[in-house]
Coordinates of all heavy atoms in Angstrom, one line a residue:
L192 N -9.2 175.8 31.5 CA -8.7 174.6 32.2 C -7.8 173.9 31.2 O -8.3 173.4 30.1 CB -9.8 173.7 32.7 CG -9.4 172.8 33.9 CD1 -10.6 172.5 34.7 CD2 -8.7 171.6 33.5
V193 N -6.5 173.9 31.4 CA -5.5 173.2 30.5 C -5.2 171.9 31.1 O -4.8 171.7 32.2 CB -4.2 174.1 30.5 CG1 -3.1 173.4 29.7 CG2 -4.5 175.5 29.9
A194 N -5.4 170.8 30.3 CA -5.1 169.5 30.7 C -4.2 168.8 29.7 O -4.4 168.8 28.5 CB -6.4 168.7 30.7
V195 N -3.0 168.3 30.2 CA -2.0 167.7 29.4 C -1.5 166.4 30.0 O -1.1 166.5 31.2 CB -0.8 168.7 29.1 CG1 0.2 168.0 28.3 CG2 -1.3 170.0 28.5
G196 N -1.6 165.3 29.3 CA -1.0 164.1 29.8 C -2.1 163.0 30.0 O -3.3 163.2 29.8
E197 N -1.6 161.8 30.3 CA -2.4 160.6 30.4 C -3.5 160.8 31.5 O -3.2 161.1 32.6 CB -1.5 159.5 30.7 CG -2.2 158.1 30.7 CD -2.4 157.6 29.3 OE1 -1.6 157.9 28.4 OE2 -3.4 156.8 29.2
G198 N -4.7 160.6 31.1 CA -5.8 160.6 32.1 C -6.3 162.0 32.6 O -7.2 162.0 33.4
T199 N -5.7 163.0 32.1 CA -6.1 164.4 32.6 C -7.3 165.0 32.0 O -8.0 165.7 32.7 CB -4.9 165.4 32.4 OG1 -4.6 165.5 31.0 CG2 -3.7 164.9 33.2
R200 N -7.6 164.6 30.8 CA -8.8 165.3 30.1 C -10.1 164.9 30.8 O -10.9 165.7 31.0 CB -8.8 164.9 28.6 CG -7.7 165.7 27.8 CD -7.8 165.4 26.4 NE -9.1 165.8 25.8 CZ -9.5 165.6 24.6 NH1 -8.6 165.0 23.7 NH2 -10.7 165.9 24.2
E201 N -10.2 163.6 31.1 CA -11.5 163.1 31.7 C -11.6 163.8 33.1 O -12.7 164.3 33.4 CB -11.4 161.6 31.9 CG -11.4 160.8 30.6 CD -10.0 160.7 30.0 OE1 -9.0 161.0 30.7 OE2 -9.9 160.3 28.8
R202 N -10.6 163.9 33.8 CA -10.6 164.6 35.1 C -10.9 166.0 35.0 O -11.7 166.6 35.8 CB -9.3 164.3 35.9 CG -9.3 164.9 37.3 CD -10.2 164.1 38.2 NE -9.8 164.5 39.6 CZ -10.7 165.1 40.4 NH1 -11.9 165.3 40.0 NH2 -10.3 165.4 41.6
A203 N -10.3 166.7 34.0 CA -10.6 168.1 33.7 C -12.0 168.4 33.4 O -12.6 169.3 33.9 CB -9.7 168.6 32.6
F204 N -12.7 167.5 32.6 CA -14.1 167.7 32.2 C -14.9 167.6 33.5 O -15.8 168.4 33.7 CB -14.5 166.8 31.2 CG -13.9 167.0 29.8 CD1 -13.4 166.0 29.1 CD2 -13.8 168.3 29.3 CE1 -12.8 166.2 27.8 CE2 -13.2 168.5 28.1 CZ -12.7 167.5 27.3
A205 N -14.7 166.6 34.3 CA -15.4 166.4 35.5 C -15.2 167.6 36.5 O -16.2 168.1 37.1 CB -15.0 165.1 36.2
L206 N -14.0 168.1 36.6 CA -13.7 169.2 37.5 C -14.4 170.5 37.0 O -14.9 171.2 37.8 CB -12.1 169.4 37.5 CG -11.6 170.5 38.4 CD1 -12.0 170.3 39.8 CD2 -10.1 170.6 38.3
A207 N -14.4 170.7 35.7 CA -15.1 171.9 35.1 C -16.5 171.9 35.5 O -17.1 172.9 36.0 CB -14.9 171.9 33.6
E208 N -17.2 170.7 35.4 CA -18.6 170.6 35.8 C -18.8 170.9 37.3 O -19.7 171.6 37.7 CB -19.2 169.3 35.4 CG -19.4 169.1 33.9 CD -20.4 170.1 33.4 OE1 -21.4 170.3 33.9 OE2 -20.0 170.7 32.3
T209 N -17.9 170.3 38.1 CA -18.0 170.6 39.5 C -17.8 172.0 39.9 O -18.6 172.6 40.7 CB -16.9 169.7 40.3 OG1 -17.2 168.4 40.0 CG2 -17.0 170.0 41.8
L210 N -16.9 172.7 39.3 CA -16.6 174.1 39.5 C -17.8 175.0 39.1 O -18.2 175.9 39.8 CB -15.4 174.6 38.9 CG -14.1 174.0 39.4 CD1 -12.9 174.4 38.6 CD2 -13.9 174.5 40.9
R211 N -18.4 174.6 38.0 CA -19.6 175.4 37.5 C -20.7 175.3 38.5 O -21.5 176.2 38.7 CB -20.0 174.9 36.1 CG -19.1 175.3 35.0 CD -19.5 174.8 33.7 NE -18.5 175.0 32.7 CZ -17.9 174.0 32.0 NH1 -18.3 172.7 32.2 NH2 -17.0 174.3 31.1
D212 N -20.9 174.1 39.2 CA -21.9 174.0 40.2 C -21.6 174.6 41.5 O -22.5 175.1 42.2 CB -22.2 172.5 40.4 CG -22.8 171.8 39.2 OD1 -23.4 172.4 38.3 OD2 -22.7 170.5 39.1
E213 N -20.3 174.6 41.9 CA -19.9 175.0 43.2 C -19.6 176.5 43.3 O -19.7 177.1 44.4 CB -18.7 174.3 43.7 CG -18.9 172.8 44.0 CD -17.6 172.2 44.5 OE1 -16.6 172.8 44.6 OE2 -17.7 171.0 44.8
V214 N -19.1 177.1 42.3 CA -18.5 178.5 42.4 C -19.4 179.5 41.6 O -19.5 179.4 40.4 CB -17.1 178.5 41.8 CG1 -16.5 179.9 41.9 CG2 -16.2 177.5 42.5
E215 N -20.0 180.4 42.4 CA -20.9 181.3 41.9 C -20.2 182.3 41.0 O -19.2 182.9 41.4 CB -21.6 182.1 43.0 CG -22.7 183.0 42.6 CD -23.4 183.7 43.7 OE1 -23.4 183.1 44.8 OE2 -23.8 184.9 43.5
G216 N -20.7 182.5 39.8 CA -20.2 183.5 38.9 C -19.0 183.0 38.0 O -18.4 183.8 37.3
I217 N -18.6 181.8 38.1 CA -17.4 181.3 37.4 C -17.8 180.8 36.0 O -18.9 180.3 35.8 CB -16.7 180.2 38.2 CG1 -15.3 180.0 37.6 CG2 -17.5 178.9 38.1 CD1 -14.4 179.2 38.5
R218 N -16.9 181.1 35.1 CA -17.0 180.5 33.7 C -15.8 179.7 33.6 O -14.6 180.1 33.7 CB -17.0 181.6 32.7 CG -18.3 182.4 32.7 CD -18.4 183.4 31.5 NE -17.3 183.4 30.6 CZ -16.7 184.6 30.3 NH1 -17.1 185.7 30.8 NH2 -15.7 184.5 29.4
V219 N -15.9 178.4 33.2 CA -14.8 177.5 33.0 C -14.9 177.0 31.6 O -15.9 176.5 31.1 CB -14.9 176.3 34.0 CG1 -13.7 175.3 33.8 CG2 -15.0 176.8 35.4
E220 N -13.8 177.1 30.9 CA -13.7 176.6 29.6 C -12.6 175.5 29.5 O -11.5 175.6 30.1 CB -13.3 177.7 28.6 CG -14.3 178.7 28.4 CD -13.9 179.8 27.4 OE1 -13.1 179.6 26.6 OE2 -14.5 180.9 27.5
T221 N -12.9 174.4 28.9 CA -11.9 173.3 28.6 C -11.7 173.2 27.1 O -12.6 173.6 26.4 CB -12.4 172.0 29.2 OG1 -13.7 171.7 28.6 CG2 -12.5 172.0 30.7
N222 N -10.6 172.7 26.8 CA -10.2 172.6 25.4 C -10.5 171.2 24.8 O -9.8 170.3 25.2 CB -8.7 172.9 25.2 CG -8.3 172.9 23.8 OD1 -9.1 172.9 22.9 ND2 -7.0 173.0 23.5
L223 N -11.6 171.1 24.1 CA -12.0 169.8 23.5 C -11.0 169.3 22.5 O -10.9 168.1 22.3 CB -13.4 169.9 22.9 CG -14.5 170.2 23.9 CD1 -15.8 170.4 23.1 CD2 -14.7 169.1 24.9
G224 N -10.3 170.2 21.9 CA -9.4 169.8 20.8 C -8.0 169.3 21.2 O -7.2 168.9 20.4
G225 N -7.8 169.3 22.5 CA -6.5 168.9 23.0 C -5.4 169.9 22.6 O -5.6 171.1 22.7
G226 N -4.3 169.4 22.2 CA -3.2 170.3 21.7 C -2.1 170.3 22.8 O -2.3 169.8 23.9
S227 N -1.0 170.9 22.4 CA 0.1 170.9 23.3 C -0.2 171.9 24.5 O -1.1 172.7 24.4 CB 1.4 171.4 22.5 OG 1.2 172.8 22.2
F228 N 0.7 171.8 25.5 CA 0.5 172.7 26.6 C 0.6 174.1 26.2 O -0.2 175.0 26.5 CB 1.6 172.4 27.6 CG 1.7 173.3 28.8 CD1 0.7 173.2 29.8 CD2 2.6 174.3 28.9 CE1 0.8 174.1 30.9 CE2 2.6 175.2 30.0 CZ 1.7 175.1 31.0
K229 N 1.6 174.4 25.3 CA 1.8 175.8 24.9 C 0.6 176.3 24.1 O 0.1 177.4 24.3 CB 3.0 175.9 24.0 CG 3.4 177.3 23.5 CD 4.7 177.2 22.7 CE 5.1 178.6 22.2 NZ 6.3 178.6 21.5
A230 N 0.0 175.5 23.2 CA -1.2 175.9 22.4 C -2.4 176.1 23.3 O -3.1 177.1 23.2 CB -1.5 174.8 21.4
Q231 N -2.5 175.3 24.3 CA -3.7 175.4 25.3 C -3.5 176.7 26.1 O -4.5 177.4 26.4 CB -3.8 174.2 26.2 CG -4.3 173.0 25.4 CD -4.6 171.8 26.4 OE1 -5.4 172.0 27.3 NE2 -3.9 170.7 26.2
M232 N -2.3 177.0 26.5 CA -2.0 178.2 27.3 C -2.3 179.5 26.4 O -2.8 180.5 26.9 CB -0.6 178.2 27.8 CG -0.4 177.3 29.0 SD -1.4 177.6 30.4 CE -0.7 179.2 31.0
K233 N -1.9 179.4 25.2 CA -2.2 180.5 24.3 C -3.7 180.8 24.1 O -4.1 181.9 24.2 CB -1.6 180.3 22.9 CG -0.1 180.6 22.8 CD 0.4 180.4 21.4 CE 1.9 180.8 21.3 NZ 2.3 180.7 19.9
R234 N -4.4 179.7 24.0 CA -5.9 179.8 23.9 C -6.5 180.4 25.2 O -7.4 181.2 25.2 CB -6.5 178.5 23.6 CG -6.5 178.2 22.1 CD -7.3 176.9 21.7 NE -6.6 175.8 22.2 CZ -6.0 174.9 21.4 NH1 -6.1 175.0 20.1 NH2 -5.4 173.8 21.9
A235 N -6.0 179.9 26.3 CA -6.4 180.5 27.6 C -6.2 182.0 27.7 O -7.1 182.7 28.1 CB -5.8 179.7 28.8
D236 N -5.0 182.4 27.3 CA -4.7 183.8 27.3 C -5.6 184.6 26.4 O -6.1 185.6 26.8 CB -3.2 184.0 27.0 CG -2.7 185.4 27.2 OD1 -3.1 186.0 28.2 OD2 -2.0 185.9 26.3
K237 N -5.7 184.1 25.2 CA -6.6 184.8 24.2 C -8.0 184.9 24.6 O -8.8 185.8 24.2 CB -6.5 184.1 22.8 CG -5.3 184.5 22.1 CD -5.3 183.9 20.7 CE -4.2 184.3 19.9 NZ -4.3 183.8 18.5
S238 N -8.5 183.9 25.5 CA -9.9 183.9 25.9 C -10.2 185.1 26.8 O -11.4 185.4 27.1 CB -10.2 182.6 26.6 OG -9.6 182.6 27.9
G239 N -9.2 185.7 27.4 CA -9.4 186.8 28.3 C -9.5 186.3 29.8 O -9.8 187.1 30.7
A240 N -9.3 185.1 30.0 CA -9.4 184.5 31.3 C -8.4 185.2 32.3 O -7.3 185.6 31.9 CB -9.1 183.0 31.3
M241 N -8.8 185.3 33.5 CA -7.9 185.8 34.6 C -6.9 184.8 35.0 O -5.8 185.2 35.4 CB -8.7 186.3 35.8 CG -9.6 187.5 35.4 SD -10.5 188.1 36.8 CE -9.1 188.8 37.7
W242 N -7.3 183.5 35.0 CA -6.4 182.4 35.5 C -6.5 181.2 34.6 O -7.5 181.0 33.9 CB -6.8 181.9 36.9 CG -6.9 183.0 37.9 CD1 -5.8 183.6 38.6 CD2 -8.0 183.6 38.4 NE1 -6.3 184.5 39.5 CE2 -7.6 184.6 39.4 CE3 -9.4 183.5 38.2 CZ2 -8.5 185.3 40.1 CZ3 -10.3 184.2 38.9 CH2 -9.9 185.2 39.8
A243 N -5.4 180.5 34.5 CA -5.4 179.2 33.9 C -5.3 178.1 34.9 O -4.4 178.3 35.8 CB -4.3 179.1 32.9
L244 N -6.1 177.1 34.9 CA -6.0 176.0 35.8 C -5.2 174.9 35.0 O -5.6 174.6 33.9 CB -7.4 175.4 36.1 CG -8.2 176.4 37.0 CD1 -9.7 175.8 37.1 CD2 -7.6 176.5 38.4
I245 N -4.2 174.4 35.6 CA -3.3 173.5 34.9 C -3.3 172.2 35.5 O -2.9 172.1 36.7 CB -1.8 174.1 34.8 CG1 -1.9 175.5 34.1 CG2 -0.9 173.1 34.1 CD1 -0.6 176.2 34.3
L246 N -3.7 171.2 34.8 CA -3.8 169.8 35.3 C -2.9 168.9 34.4 O -3.3 168.6 33.3 CB -5.2 169.3 35.3 CG -5.5 168.0 35.9 CD1 -5.1 168.0 37.4 CD2 -6.9 167.6 35.7
G247 N -1.8 168.5 34.9 CA -0.9 167.6 34.3 C -0.9 166.3 35.0 O -1.6 166.1 36.0
E248 N -0.1 165.3 34.5 CA 0.0 164.0 35.2 C 0.5 164.1 36.6 O 0.0 163.4 37.5 CB 0.9 163.1 34.3 CG 0.3 162.7 33.0 CD 1.2 161.9 32.2 OE1 2.2 161.3 32.7 OE2 1.0 161.8 31.0
Q249 N 1.5 165.0 36.8 CA 2.0 165.1 38.2 C 1.0 165.7 39.1 O 0.8 165.2 40.2 CB 3.3 166.0 38.2 CG 3.9 166.1 39.6 CD 5.2 166.9 39.6 OE1 5.8 167.1 38.6 NE2 5.6 167.3 40.8
E250 N 0.3 166.7 38.7 CA -0.8 167.3 39.5 C -1.8 166.3 39.8 O -2.3 166.2 40.9 CB -1.4 168.6 38.8 CG -0.5 169.8 38.7 CD 0.5 169.7 37.6 OE1 0.5 168.8 36.7 OE2 1.3 170.7 37.5
L251 N -2.2 165.6 38.8 CA -3.3 164.5 39.0 C -2.9 163.5 40.0 O -3.6 163.2 40.9 CB -3.6 163.9 37.6 CG -4.8 162.9 37.5 CD1 -6.0 163.7 37.9 CD2 -4.9 162.3 36.2
S252 N -1.6 163.0 40.0 CA -1.1 162.0 40.9 C -1.1 162.6 42.3 O -1.2 161.9 43.3 CB 0.2 161.5 40.5 OG 1.2 162.4 40.7
E253 N -0.9 163.9 42.5 CA -0.8 164.5 43.8 C -2.1 165.1 44.2 O -2.2 165.7 45.3 CB 0.3 165.7 43.7 CG 1.7 165.2 43.5 CD 2.7 166.3 43.2 OE1 2.2 167.5 43.2 OE2 3.9 166.0 43.1
E254 N -3.2 165.0 43.4 CA -4.5 165.5 43.7 C -4.4 167.0 43.9 O -5.0 167.6 44.8 CB -5.1 164.8 44.9 CG -5.6 163.5 44.6 CD -6.8 163.4 43.7 OE1 -7.8 164.1 43.9 OE2 -6.8 162.7 42.7
R255 N -3.6 167.7 43.0 CA -3.5 169.1 43.1 C -3.7 169.7 41.7 O -3.8 169.0 40.7 CB -2.1 169.5 43.6 CG -1.8 168.9 45.0 CD -0.6 169.5 45.6 NE -0.6 170.9 46.0 CZ -1.2 171.3 47.1 NH1 -1.9 170.5 47.9 NH2 -1.2 172.6 47.4
I256 N -3.8 171.0 41.6 CA -3.9 171.7 40.3 C -3.1 173.0 40.4 O -3.0 173.6 41.5 CB -5.4 171.9 40.0 CG1 -5.5 172.3 38.5 CG2 -6.0 172.9 40.9 CD1 -6.9 172.2 38.0
G257 N -2.6 173.4 39.3 CA -1.9 174.7 39.2 C -2.9 175.8 38.9 O -3.7 175.6 38.0
L258 N -2.7 176.9 39.5 CA -3.5 178.1 39.3 C -2.6 179.2 38.9 O -1.8 179.8 39.7 CB -4.3 178.5 40.5 CG -5.2 179.8 40.4 CD1 -6.3 179.6 39.4 CD2 -5.7 180.2 41.8
K259 N -2.6 179.5 37.6 CA -1.6 180.5 37.0 C -2.4 181.8 36.6 O -3.2 181.8 35.8 CB -0.9 179.9 35.8 CG 0.0 180.9 35.2 CD 1.0 180.3 34.2 CE 2.0 181.2 33.6 NZ 2.7 182.0 34.5
P260 N -2.0 182.9 37.3 CA -2.6 184.2 36.9 C -2.1 184.5 35.4 O -1.0 184.4 35.1 CB -2.0 185.2 37.9 CG -1.5 184.3 39.0 CD -1.1 183.0 38.4
L261 N -3.1 185.0 34.6 CA -2.8 185.4 33.3 C -2.8 186.9 33.1 O -2.3 187.4 32.0 CB -3.8 184.8 32.3 CG -3.8 183.2 32.3 CD1 -5.0 182.8 31.4 CD2 -2.5 182.7 31.8
R262 N -3.3 187.7 34.0 CA -3.4 189.1 33.8 C -2.5 189.9 34.8 O -2.6 191.1 34.8 CB -4.8 189.6 34.0 CG -5.8 188.9 33.1 CD -5.7 189.3 31.7 NE -6.3 188.4 30.8 CZ -5.7 187.7 29.9 NH1 -4.4 187.9 29.6 NH2 -6.3 186.8 29.1
N263 N -1.6 189.2 35.5 CA -0.6 189.9 36.3 C 0.6 189.0 36.5 O 0.6 187.9 36.0 CB -1.2 190.4 37.7 CG -1.7 189.2 38.5 OD1 -0.9 188.2 38.7 ND2 -2.8 189.3 39.1
E264 N 1.6 189.5 37.2 CA 2.8 188.8 37.3 C 2.9 188.0 38.6 O 4.0 187.5 38.9 CB 4.0 189.8 37.3 CG 4.1 190.7 36.0 CD 4.4 189.8 34.8 OE1 5.2 188.9 34.9 OE2 3.7 190.1 33.8
A265 N 1.8 187.7 39.2 CA 1.8 186.9 40.4 C 2.3 185.4 40.1 O 2.2 185.0 39.0 CB 0.4 186.8 41.0
E266 N 2.8 184.8 41.1 CA 3.3 183.4 40.9 C 2.2 182.4 40.8 O 1.1 182.6 41.4 CB 4.2 183.1 42.2 CG 5.5 183.8 42.3 CD 6.5 183.5 41.2 OE1 6.6 182.3 40.9 OE2 7.1 184.4 40.7
Q267 N 2.5 181.3 40.1 CA 1.6 180.2 40.0 C 1.4 179.5 41.4 O 2.4 179.4 42.1 CB 2.1 179.2 39.0 CG 1.1 178.0 38.8 CD 1.6 177.1 37.7 OE1 2.0 177.6 36.6 NE2 1.5 175.8 37.8
E268 N 0.2 179.2 41.7 CA 0.0 178.5 43.0 C -0.4 177.0 42.7 O -0.9 176.7 41.7 CB -1.3 179.1 43.7 CG -1.1 180.5 44.0 CD -2.4 181.1 44.6 OE1 -2.9 180.5 45.6 OE2 -3.0 182.0 44.0
S269 N -0.1 176.2 43.7 CA -0.5 174.8 43.6 C -1.6 174.6 44.7 O -1.3 174.8 45.9 CB 0.7 173.8 43.9 OG 0.3 172.5 43.9
I270 N -2.7 174.1 44.3 CA -3.9 174.0 45.2 C -4.4 172.6 45.2 O -4.5 172.0 44.1 CB -5.0 175.0 44.7 CG1 -4.4 176.4 44.7 CG2 -6.2 174.9 45.5 CD1 -5.3 177.4 44.0
A271 N -4.8 172.1 46.4 CA -5.4 170.8 46.5 C -6.7 170.8 45.8 O -7.5 171.8 45.9 CB -5.6 170.5 48.0
L272 N -7.0 169.8 45.0 CA -8.2 169.7 44.2 C -9.5 169.9 45.1 O -10.4 170.6 44.6 CB -8.3 168.4 43.4 CG -7.4 168.4 42.2 CD1 -7.4 167.0 41.6 CD2 -7.8 169.4 41.1
D273 N -9.5 169.4 46.3 CA -10.7 169.5 47.1 C -10.8 170.8 47.7 O -11.9 171.1 48.3 CB -10.7 168.4 48.2 CG -9.5 168.4 49.1 OD1 -8.6 169.2 48.9 OD2 -9.5 167.6 50.1
E274 N -9.9 171.7 47.6 CA -10.0 173.1 48.1 C -10.2 174.1 46.9 O -10.4 175.3 47.2 CB -8.7 173.5 48.8 CG -8.5 172.7 50.1 CD -7.1 173.0 50.7 OE1 -6.4 173.9 50.3 OE2 -6.8 172.3 51.7
L275 N -10.1 173.7 45.7 CA -10.1 174.6 44.6 C -11.4 175.4 44.5 O -11.3 176.6 44.3 CB -10.0 173.8 43.3 CG -9.9 174.6 42.0 CD1 -8.8 175.6 42.0 CD2 -9.8 173.7 40.8
G276 N -12.5 174.8 44.7 CA -13.8 175.6 44.6 C -13.8 176.8 45.6 O -14.1 177.9 45.2
A277 N -13.4 176.5 46.8 CA -13.3 177.6 47.8 C -12.3 178.7 47.5 O -12.6 179.9 47.7 CB -13.1 177.0 49.2
V278 N -11.2 178.3 47.0 CA -10.1 179.2 46.7 C -10.6 180.1 45.5 O -10.4 181.3 45.6 CB -8.8 178.5 46.3 CG1 -7.8 179.4 45.6 CG2 -8.2 177.8 47.5
L279 N -11.2 179.5 44.5 CA -11.7 180.3 43.4 C -12.8 181.2 43.8 O -12.9 182.4 43.3 CB -12.1 179.4 42.2 CG -11.0 178.7 41.5 CD1 -11.5 177.7 40.5 CD2 -10.0 179.7 40.8
Q280 N -13.7 180.8 44.6 CA -14.8 181.6 45.1 C -14.2 182.8 45.8 O -14.7 184.0 45.6 CB -15.7 180.8 46.0 CG -17.0 181.6 46.3 CD -17.9 181.8 45.1 OE1 -18.4 180.9 44.6 NE2 -18.0 183.1 44.7
D281 N -13.2 182.6 46.7 CA -12.6 183.7 47.4 C -12.0 184.7 46.4 O -12.1 185.9 46.6 CB -11.5 183.2 48.4 CG -12.1 182.6 49.6 OD1 -13.3 182.7 49.9 OD2 -11.3 181.9 50.3
K282 N -11.3 184.2 45.4 CA -10.7 185.1 44.4 C -11.7 185.9 43.7 O -11.6 187.1 43.4 CB -9.8 184.3 43.5 CG -8.5 183.8 44.2 CD -7.6 183.1 43.2 CE -6.3 182.7 43.8 NZ -5.4 183.7 44.3
L283 N -12.8 185.2 43.2 CA -13.9 185.9 42.5 C -14.6 187.0 43.4 O -14.9 188.0 42.9 CB -14.9 184.9 42.0 CG -14.4 184.1 40.8 CD1 -15.4 183.0 40.4 CD2 -14.1 185.0 39.6
D284 N -14.8 186.6 44.7 CA -15.4 187.5 45.6 C -14.6 188.8 45.8 O -15.1 189.9 46.1 CB -15.7 186.9 46.9 CG -16.8 185.8 46.8 OD1 -17.5 185.8 45.8 OD2 -16.9 185.0 47.8
G285 N -13.2 188.6 45.7 CA -12.3 189.8 45.9 C -12.2 190.7 44.7 O -11.5 191.7 44.8
I286 N -12.8 190.4 43.6 CA -12.7 191.2 42.4 C -13.6 192.4 42.4 O -14.7 192.3 42.8 CB -12.9 190.4 41.1 CG1 -11.9 189.3 41.0 CG2 -13.0 191.3 39.9 CD1 -12.1 188.4 39.8

């Protein structure tokens, strides 16, 4: 989970906990050290994650999150935060 901008880290930590409770089989990592967007994306890619969840100030204000595939060329999706758990569960169930 990549969080960049004012107020995003706190929301990201809460979101990570919620996803761990709601989505069976999910592993969610957040970056405690902060860092630039580019640095956090590099860490997400190196972790072997299938997707990066991107939470910036704009996403936070719109109550949405970006879901970027890291292992294929699919387009990034914008998902409502209240639908994220169900979307991720569907994706994990399809693997």
Side-chain angles (χ1 to χ4, degrees):
L192 205 154
V193 175
V195 179
E197 186 78 27
T199 60
R200 285 184 57 185
E201 296 81 12
R202 182 72 165 116
F204 292 134
L206 181 60
E208 286 301 313
T209 299
L210 291 173
R211 289 180 188 118
D212 292 340
E213 288 182 359
V214 182
E215 185 178 331
I217 198 167
R218 287 187 1 230
V219 181
E220 294 181 20
T221 55
N222 183 11
L223 295 173
S227 70
F228 175 76
K229 184 176 179 179
Q231 290 186 59
M232 288 299 292
K233 279 185 178 182
R234 279 189 285 252
D236 188 43
K237 281 186 175 184
S238 76
M241 295 185 66
W242 304 283
L244 294 170
I245 302 169
L246 186 62
E248 291 176 16
Q249 181 175 345
E250 289 84 4
L251 190 60
S252 71
E253 296 172 356
E254 287 292 308
R255 300 190 72 79
I256 194 162
L258 178 66
K259 179 165 181 54
L261 298 176
R262 303 290 162 239
N263 63 45
E264 299 297 319
E266 292 291 316
Q267 180 172 321
E268 300 174 56
S269 178
I270 300 168
L272 286 171
D273 62 354
E274 297 174 5
L275 182 59
V278 169
L279 289 174
Q280 189 68 67
D281 287 346
K282 289 186 178 292
L283 287 172
D284 289 347
I286 295 175

